Amino acid sequence: MTSMFDQYEQASQRSKQVHMPPIRPDISTAGFIQMKFQDDGPIFIKQKVNFLPSDKILHFVVNNNIIVIAMANNILLRIDMKQPDSPEEIDISKYAINMDMSGMFLDPFGNHLLIALVSKSQDNPPPELFYLHRKSTKLKQASKFKGHEITAVGWNFSNSSDTTTGPILLGTSKGLIFETEIGLDGDKIFNTSLEQYWRQVFDIGKDSKPPITGLEFHKIPSTDKYVIIVTTLMRIYQYIGAVQNPEEKPLLQQIFNKYLNVQESFNEVINHLSYSKIQFYYPTLGSLPKSFGWLTETGILYAQIDPKIDPKSVLTNQQMLIFPEASLMGSNISKTTSAPLSFVFTEFHALLLYTDRVKGMSLLNQDLIFEDIYNDAVGKLLNITKDYVTRSIWAYSEKAVFKYKVNKEDRNVWQVYVDKGEFELAKQYCKDNPAHIDQVLVKQAEMLFKNKEYEKSALIYADTHSSFEEISLKFLQEWQIEALKTFLKKKLEGLKTQDKTQITMIVVWVIELFMNQMGVLRSNNTSYLHDSQYLELQKQFDSFLAIPKKLRNV
């Protein structure tokens, strides 16, 4: 096999061009002259792996830099990306007689692999489950699961052992959920059985027996609570509860017990697809996921994960993301209107995989920002997946493997938040770029002005490089004298003592505004010396004149 080093492929890729807003005539460029704007390149950069499979690729899994590829000739190729030139070939032919591989599942740390086999016809052997340890080339049969087609695995993200899986959940094609612990004690199998223990802990299907398509559980930090999320083709379930005895096995039976004799609770969508997929985004290794997505025909049900808001659900701010139908390649490329086959999350984007392309969609505004068209030479795309530890993204077809590098994906996030009116978030993602921060402040001040919050608007306008004359005129046209004074005084605070001309102009103008206001009150009220409004103005005026060092130089 040739080297697994990545090579950049000049493919049919296109990213949405996000242009910097033009410098406005009402904004001074002083302070921004040294700014250099440059093209950072596409957010997602594809690299083709220099790999020629010996047969069609059927399945591909990756975690913690460990890759396992299953091919149609019943060969497993296991590759440690730290030593990519020394792959291991594992022949599983004797285990797969009259059987097809229906699924392959790798734990987050790359130590434990589960392989689900199903009969090629209904009259042949029942479904089987096999286990392969990272340091072994011999498959072990999980005999307790003979007859059950495993369709989803909920790995134990808290498990630190590289020899056993810790308590894990297995979902089947008939809606059953089992808990087990699988592994080896040295080279020996647990008590002559691969499973240290196993038990059915729940039946999600009861009468309908739907296949389980997604299964994941997490311990909520600093508590004894766990959350279990399960999906079928059309439904998503959440099971939340406390584990009173962490040594008791099966561990998660303690969660499911409270749901055994109560009415089912779930969210349901329309889905005519033969699959549904779930994905989570983890901000840091070992942390509770930050966000969640569930792909069906309807779209991607996207939600933030917060266990503190609702005791019955950890999914908050739920919204349905609609698949983008447009193409970035122009009118000569036909629109992709069907649902994607699979997807992965980054912090701000979803990469959607179709049979002939990968699309990148913003999670913040659902804009299509990236598109990568594959040619027929690589065959149909099959899946896209993400390494839990390294966060590398991998897509594969029947004939090739590709890797995507994420390149400064948060570069335009500030603009998206500005468009959504979320200015504080926008400032966080400006990364101390003064030109970007200035644009955020201008937009925020404009919104406040439009909403007639004039004094708040004035305070923010004063911190921008907007034209002094234009902003002053805006407040005069609305006859917002108090807001204008606020703007002028804030501007005065920001000037340096050497800016004598500007200081003089602003001081004279503010004095004139105060004198005019008090003059109007005197002419309209003969007892103005006892008028609270006049007295307050006089107090403000005295306070202004007491400012100091700058006024002494006027």
Side-chain angles (χ1 to χ4, degrees):
M1 179 185 161
T2 56
S3 170
M4 288 292 293
F5 287 116
D6 295 335
Q7 298 178 353
Y8 179 69
E9 182 186 65
Q10 292 288 350
S12 180
Q13 290 184 324
R14 184 162 298 178
S15 293
K16 181 179 179 181
Q17 296 298 312
V18 179
H19 299 288
M20 290 300 302
I23 298 296
R24 294 172 27 155
D26 62 318
I27 298 180
S28 166
T29 56
F32 301 145
I33 295 175
Q34 301 301 320
M35 291 289 299
K36 180 181 179 182
F37 297 104
Q38 60 184 13
D39 182 7
D40 290 319
I43 290 177
F44 299 102
I45 301 173
K46 181 172 70 177
Q47 299 167 307
K48 183 179 180 181
V49 176
N50 189 14
F51 164 60
L52 185 63
S54 57
D55 206 335
K56 285 185 177 180
I57 297 174
L58 300 179
H59 299 276
F60 174 105
V61 290
V62 58
N63 265 321
N64 199 20
N65 271 324
I66 301 299
I67 293 174
V68 183
I69 301 171
M71 293 173 285
N73 56 3
N74 288 324
I75 296 294
L76 296 183
L77 198 63
R78 184 166 58 196
I79 303 160
D80 185 342
M81 290 303 293
K82 296 177 182 177
Q83 300 175 334
D85 297 324
S86 303
E88 297 176 283
E89 287 194 1
I90 302 168
D91 190 344
I92 63 169
S93 298
K94 66 179 182 180
Y95 307 101
I97 299 172
N98 296 321
M99 305 284 276
D100 288 326
M101 186 183 297
S102 61
M104 193 162 67
F105 312 92
L106 183 65
D107 82 294
F109 303 101
N111 294 315
H112 312 284
L113 181 74
L114 292 175
I115 298 172
L117 300 178
V118 295
S119 172
K120 291 184 178 180
S121 66
Q122 293 182 350
D123 299 328
N124 280 322
E128 298 269 16
L129 183 67
F130 288 89
Y131 169 80
L132 180 66
H133 187 267
R134 167 69 187 90
K135 297 180 180 179
S136 174
T137 58
K138 294 182 179 180
L139 269 65
K140 304 292 184 181
Q141 183 183 25
S143 57
K144 301 294 185 182
F145 294 96
K146 189 179 184 70
H148 297 285
E149 180 186 351
I150 302 304
T151 55
V153 177
W155 294 107
N156 190 328
F157 283 74
S158 301
N159 181 49
S160 58
S161 170
D162 59 359
T163 58
T164 70
T165 63
I168 61 173
L169 295 177
L170 305 180
T172 76
S173 60
K174 295 184 178 179
L176 302 179
I177 299 177
F178 291 89
E179 183 180 317
T180 188
E181 182 171 355
I182 296 176
L184 303 177
D185 183 7
D187 292 328
K188 298 180 181 179
I189 302 174
F190 283 141
N191 303 320
T192 72
S193 174
L194 185 66
E195 305 90 340
Q196 186 177 17
Y197 70 92
W198 73 286
R199 184 179 298 175
Q200 180 185 325
V201 290
F202 206 69
D203 181 353
I204 209 168
K206 297 188 171 86
D207 298 329
S208 59
K209 300 189 180 302
I212 292 175
T213 60
L215 178 59
E216 189 156 321
F217 71 91
H218 288 279
K219 185 177 186 296
I220 298 173
S222 304
T223 73
D224 58 359
K225 289 185 177 181
Y226 283 75
V227 57
I228 305 165
I229 295 179
V230 186
T231 59
T232 64
L233 292 176
M234 299 175 64
R235 293 178 178 178
I236 177 171
Y237 300 80
Q238 296 182 66
Y239 304 96
I240 302 172
V243 168
Q244 303 295 340
N245 182 4
E247 302 302 320
E248 183 181 324
K249 303 293 175 63
L251 176 74
L252 299 173
Q253 183 72 73
Q254 300 172 69
I255 309 297
F256 285 113
N257 280 341
K258 64 184 277 191
Y259 295 93
L260 291 176
N261 299 308
V262 298
Q263 186 175 358
E264 288 184 312
S265 177
F266 52 81
N267 289 346
E268 189 170 43
V269 298
I270 296 173
N271 184 26
H272 297 101
L273 302 175
S274 60
Y275 58 90
S276 73
K277 300 287 181 74
I278 63 172
Q279 283 287 319
F280 294 81
Y281 173 73
Y282 302 85
T284 57
L285 182 64
S287 66
L288 193 68
K290 178 182 178 181
S291 56
F292 162 84
W294 177 39
L295 184 153
T296 64
E297 179 186 26
T298 307
I300 295 176
L301 179 65
Y302 178 63
Q304 304 299 309
I305 294 181
D306 189 340
K308 299 177 182 178
I309 295 178
D310 185 345
K312 296 183 179 179
S313 174
V314 297
L315 304 181
T316 65
N317 301 321
Q318 296 185 37
Q319 57 179 309
M320 186 63 72
L321 306 180
I322 305 304
F323 305 125
E325 295 185 357
S327 171
L328 295 176
M329 299 298 175
S331 58
N332 59 323
I333 302 294
S334 60
K335 290 184 178 180
T336 305
T337 55
S338 60
L341 299 174
S342 187
F343 76 115
V344 294
F345 275 154
T346 60
E347 185 173 6
F348 298 109
H349 299 89
L351 279 179
L352 313 174
L353 179 130
Y354 300 82
T355 57
D356 65 344
R357 69 192 67 194
V358 173
K359 291 185 174 185
M361 177 178 69
S362 168
L363 295 172
L364 300 178
N365 59 12
Q366 302 185 45
D367 276 1
L368 178 64
I369 59 95
F370 171 83
E371 188 169 22
D372 188 9
I373 306 294
Y374 285 72
N375 58 50
D376 295 336
V378 301
K380 292 182 179 180
L381 293 174
L382 299 178
N383 200 3
I384 189 166
T385 187
K386 188 176 180 182
D387 188 320
Y388 167 75
V389 175
T390 69
R391 301 191 184 188
S392 57
I393 296 170
W394 300 79
Y396 65 97
S397 70
E398 299 167 332
K399 302 177 183 179
V401 176
F402 302 87
K403 184 178 180 181
Y404 283 96
K405 177 183 177 182
V406 182
N407 176 34
K408 300 180 182 178
E409 70 160 327
D410 61 349
R411 70 184 74 160
N412 299 316
V413 168
W414 68 275
Q415 286 182 275
V416 177
Y417 280 128
V418 165
D419 293 340
K420 293 161 67 77
E422 299 181 35
F423 301 109
E424 295 308 313
L425 281 172
K427 292 171 193 174
Q428 290 179 28
Y429 288 98
C430 284
K431 296 184 175 179
D432 297 325
N433 183 312
H436 294 172
I437 292 173
D438 195 78
Q439 292 181 61
V440 174
L441 292 174
V442 169
K443 289 291 186 181
Q444 185 177 12
E446 287 176 349
M447 187 199 72
L448 291 168
F449 190 93
K450 184 178 179 181
N451 293 339
K452 302 186 184 305
E453 297 181 66
Y454 296 112
E455 293 203 35
K456 289 182 180 179
S457 174
L459 286 171
I460 294 175
Y461 264 131
D463 285 332
T464 72
H465 286 74
S466 298
S467 164
F468 175 86
E469 293 80 6
E470 181 173 321
I471 302 307
S472 299
L473 183 60
K474 282 172 69 83
F475 290 113
L476 279 175
Q477 287 174 336
E478 296 294 323
W479 202 245
Q480 294 297 319
I481 304 304
E482 287 301 321
L484 177 58
K485 287 194 302 183
T486 298
F487 172 71
L488 294 173
K489 287 189 285 185
K490 185 72 181 294
K491 272 293 185 184
L492 184 62
E493 291 173 8
L495 294 175
K496 298 178 181 178
T497 53
Q498 58 264 36
D499 300 324
K500 293 183 179 180
T501 302
Q502 294 179 5
I503 291 173
T504 301
M505 179 185 68
I506 292 176
V507 168
V508 170
W509 196 356
V510 173
I511 291 174
E512 183 181 349
L513 291 171
F514 269 116
M515 297 302 292
N516 285 341
Q517 284 181 297
M518 289 189 290
V520 169
L521 289 176
R522 283 198 299 268
S523 62
N524 292 337
N525 187 353
T526 55
S527 58
Y528 63 87
L529 291 176
H530 302 287
D531 183 83
S532 60
Q533 187 178 359
Y534 182 86
L535 293 174
E536 177 61 29
L537 270 175
Q538 182 68 57
K539 182 179 178 181
Q540 292 177 14
F541 184 46
D542 293 341
S543 177
F544 174 73
L545 292 178
I547 306 182
K549 300 180 180 179
K550 289 178 183 176
L551 293 183
R552 294 173 192 164
N553 295 323
V554 175

